[in-house]
Amino acid sequence: MGKADFLDEPPHSEHLTDYDRAHFATYIRLLDAEADAAHWAEAVRIIFGLDPDVQPDRAQHVHQTHLARAHWMTENGYRDLLRSAYN
C-alpha cells in the first residue's frame, strides 16, 4: 500500500470488504502502535504519511476510523477472513 492509497475512513460494512483486505497490514500496524502506547499523531504520520500539524482534524479522523475498523477486524471481521481461507 502506498501512503496515499487509503480513504479518510474505511467503508462501513458488517462484512469484510476489499478495502479491509487491502489494508490488513495497516490495521495490524495501528493495533501494534496502540499496544505500544504510541501517540496517535506519531502513528498517523508514520502509517499514513499525514502531517497532523498541517491537517489535525483529518489526521485524527483517519487514525480513529481506521483504528476502530482494526478493532472490528479483531472482534468480528476475522470470521469472514477465516471463512474465505477455506473457500
Side-chain angles (χ1 to χ4, degrees):
M1 172 186 91
K3 289 186 178 182
D5 295 339
F6 63 87
L7 301 173
D8 280 5
E9 72 182 57
H12 297 281
S13 175
E14 292 181 19
H15 297 285
L16 194 66
T17 66
D18 289 339
Y19 187 88
D20 295 324
R21 291 180 198 284
H23 294 84
F24 188 72
T26 301
Y27 296 157
I28 291 172
R29 292 178 73 194
L30 285 165
L31 292 169
D32 283 346
E34 181 181 55
D36 290 343
H39 191 274
W40 73 267
E42 177 185 6
V44 81
R45 187 183 314 273
I46 293 168
I47 297 169
F48 294 98
L50 295 175
D51 186 342
D53 296 327
V54 175
Q55 295 180 302
D57 293 337
R58 178 179 181 226
Q60 190 166 31
H61 180 76
V62 167
H63 180 265
Q64 287 176 341
T65 59
H66 282 80
L67 181 58
R69 190 66 177 181
H71 281 284
W72 176 86
M73 286 287 295
T74 67
E75 297 161 5
N76 299 292
Y78 74 92
R79 292 181 187 110
D80 286 343
L81 193 60
L82 290 173
R83 266 187 237 122
S84 68
Y86 291 106
N87 292 326

